[in-house]
């Protein structure tokens, strides 16, 4: 819990999460539980001796690739439909407790398929978790199929064809497509053909860019049709591009604690939060891979508040921009915007704050 006077306001503020990888919500406790359930032997590395030793190792990632090693190693315990459903449900419960009203969540089918898990098992399992969250918690949800950059394009093309064959976008099971994994190294435009095809079908697109890579990774993603940018913190290094992002209302999905844990910055105070607000760049605050980075969405909100001491009005702007940048029907946006307005009015009236 942060020590800010606004903590209760932040806790109750209706939130949208656009940048969280379901596989990145796989807590060590669940890794050990699913390994036992599925008869899987965990790696012999001493860090897998216990939940505590694994959690301790997560505190010391040297870079993105160091984290990705454990990220992909951990998800090997996911084998059955119920495993994916249980993982999603565990995340949604935490998100709901943190005030999330709408969550668009990434999943990485390529990595699971490389372990022999069928596409339908993955999507059906995660979809069950989404439906349970909608029914029992009142959240609206969306799955974002995420291609990974460390595997060959042919692997992504196979998953894309399965996605099209299953008609997951038309049915509303999948809300859009994205890409993630190693940013620097693979070709910036490696998914050009897939994105061109998806854009023709009016499928929403996003892309991880500008986390470790320079602003040209962002401009390339926009050229390929991305309508949102995941991370994007290095946008501030290109003033002209930043003006374009603000002008076109392109949402950045910023992940403060992730940026610190992966050493993109040494502290949250180094993030360009105020620069973005001053420049009119729209962004949301997200948790990325909270099981590995030590904080879910409210922890990230609190970290930003402790670093920048934002006002109620500034948080209202962030929350409203998060809603407007969501891939959800307009009627749901109207509901969430009304919830934000009611929360702000109640808090400011109670504390006699002018906004």
């Amino acid at each position: 819990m942060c020590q800010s006077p606004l903590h209760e306001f932040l806790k109750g503020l209706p939130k949208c999460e656009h940048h969280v990888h379901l596989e990145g919500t796989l807590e060590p406790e669940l890794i050990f539980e699913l390994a036992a359930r599925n008869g899987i032997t965990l790696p012999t590395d001493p860090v897998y001796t216990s939940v505590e030793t694994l959690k301790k190792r997560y505190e010391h990632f040297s870079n993105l690739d160091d984290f990705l090693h454990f990220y992909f190693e951990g998800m090997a315990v996911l084998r059955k439909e119920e495993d994916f459903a249980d993982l999603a449900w565990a995340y949604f419960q935490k998100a709901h407790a943190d005030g999330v009203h709408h969550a668009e969540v990434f999943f990485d089918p390529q990595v699971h398929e490389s372990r022999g898990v069928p596409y339908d098992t993955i999507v059906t399992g995660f979809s069950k978790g989404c439906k349970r969250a909608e029914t029992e918690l009142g959240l609206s949800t969306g799955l974002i199929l995420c291609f990974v950059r460390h595997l060959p394009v042919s692997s992504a093309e196979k998953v894309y064809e399965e996605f099209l064959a299953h008609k997951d976008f038309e049915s509303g099971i999948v809300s859009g497509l994205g890409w993630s994994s190693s940013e620097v190294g693979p070709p910036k435009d490696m998914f050009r053909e897939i994105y061109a095809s998806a854009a023709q079908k009016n499928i929403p697109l996003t892309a991880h860019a500008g986390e470790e890579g320079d602003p040209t990774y962002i401009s390339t993603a926009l050229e390929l049709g991305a309508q949102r940018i995941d991370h994007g913190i290095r946008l501030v290094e290109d003033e002209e591009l930043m003006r374009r992002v603000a002008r076109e209302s392109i949402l950045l999905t910023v992940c403060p604690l992730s940026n610190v844990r992966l050493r993109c910055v040494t502290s949250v105070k180094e993030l360009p939060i105020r620069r973005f607000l001053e420049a009119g760049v729209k962004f949301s605050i997200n948790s990325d891979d909270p099981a590995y980075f030590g904080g879910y969405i409210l922890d990230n909100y609190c970290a930003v508040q402790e670093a920048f001491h934002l006002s109620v009005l500034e948080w209202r702007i962030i929350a409203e921009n998060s809603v407007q940048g969501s891939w959800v029907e307009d009627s749901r946006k109207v509901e969430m915007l009304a919830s934000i307005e009611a929360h702000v009015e109640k808090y400011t009236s109670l504390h006699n704050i002018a906004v």
Side-chain angles (χ1 to χ4, degrees), residues 11 19 37 121-122 183 236 248 274 288 326:
K11 183 177 180 181
H19 188 157
R37 185 161 91 186
T121 296
I122 305 159
E183 183 176 6
V236 290
E248 297 181 8
R274 285 214 173 275
D288 200 359
S326 296

Side-chain angles (χ1 to χ4, degrees), residues 6-54:
L6 288 187
H7 179 74
E8 287 305 312
F9 170 78
L10 293 177
K11 183 177 180 181
L13 182 63
K15 305 170 185 68
C16 296
E17 181 143 49
H18 308 108
H19 188 157
V20 59
H21 300 262
L22 284 176
E23 293 89 349
T25 68
L26 183 55
E27 294 284 351
E29 290 88 348
L30 190 54
I31 289 178
F32 279 81
E33 178 184 331
L34 293 181
R37 185 161 91 186
N38 293 326
I40 296 170
T41 301
L42 292 172
T44 56
D45 188 318
V47 301
Y48 286 95
T49 301
S50 68
V51 168
E52 291 69 27
T53 55
L54 192 54

Side-chain angles (χ1 to χ4, degrees), residues 231-293:
H231 292 299
I233 57 174
R234 294 189 64 181
L235 176 66
V236 290
E237 298 172 19
D238 187 328
E239 291 286 347
E240 183 177 349
L241 183 60
M242 188 160 64
R243 285 192 291 271
R244 175 192 169 187
V245 166
R247 184 173 62 251
E248 297 181 8
S249 294
I250 295 163
L251 187 76
L252 307 184
T253 66
V254 179
C255 305
L257 295 180
S258 166
N259 294 153
V260 174
R261 189 62 68 91
L262 294 182
R263 305 189 182 188
C264 298
V265 294
T266 58
S267 74
V268 174
K269 291 181 179 180
E270 294 179 19
L271 293 172
I273 298 296
R274 285 214 173 275
R275 287 283 304 280
F276 287 161
L277 285 169
E278 292 165 0
V281 172
K282 296 181 178 181
F283 62 91
S284 59
I285 302 293
N286 308 271
S287 63
D288 200 359
D289 300 284
Y292 295 85
F293 300 146

Side-chain angles (χ1 to χ4, degrees), residues 265-336:
V265 294
T266 58
S267 74
V268 174
K269 291 181 179 180
E270 294 179 19
L271 293 172
I273 298 296
R274 285 214 173 275
R275 287 283 304 280
F276 287 161
L277 285 169
E278 292 165 0
V281 172
K282 296 181 178 181
F283 62 91
S284 59
I285 302 293
N286 308 271
S287 63
D288 200 359
D289 300 284
Y292 295 85
F293 300 146
Y296 285 79
I297 192 168
L298 180 57
D299 300 302
N300 280 271
Y301 271 60
C302 289
V304 168
Q305 180 60 17
E306 290 186 324
F308 296 100
H309 306 290
L310 302 182
S311 67
V312 169
L313 176 58
E314 287 170 323
W315 278 114
R316 178 176 186 164
I317 291 170
I318 293 169
E320 290 178 341
N321 287 342
S322 299
V323 170
Q324 297 291 7
S326 296
W327 295 339
V328 67
E329 62 274 7
D330 288 343
S331 59
R332 178 59 176 150
K333 289 183 180 181
V334 170
E335 291 176 357
M336 290 190 287

Side-chain angles (χ1 to χ4, degrees), residues 35-75:
R37 185 161 91 186
N38 293 326
I40 296 170
T41 301
L42 292 172
T44 56
D45 188 318
V47 301
Y48 286 95
T49 301
S50 68
V51 168
E52 291 69 27
T53 55
L54 192 54
K55 283 185 174 181
K56 193 67 177 176
R57 177 61 177 83
Y58 290 172
E59 297 175 6
H60 303 287
F61 296 124
S62 56
N63 53 37
L64 177 61
D65 286 335
D66 183 31
F67 150 67
L68 288 172
H69 167 77
F70 286 94
Y71 175 76
F72 294 125
E73 202 167 59
M75 70 173 71

Side-chain angles (χ1 to χ4, degrees), residues 8 25 70 74 106 123 126 136 139 159 161 163-164 172 180 184 191 211 260 270 307 312 324 332:
E8 287 305 312
T25 68
F70 286 94
F106 292 117
V123 178
F126 279 147
E136 298 186 27
L139 272 69
V159 164
E161 291 302 321
F163 159 75
L164 294 178
S180 65
V184 178
F191 300 122
E211 177 188 16
V260 174
E270 294 179 19
V312 169
Q324 297 291 7
R332 178 59 176 150

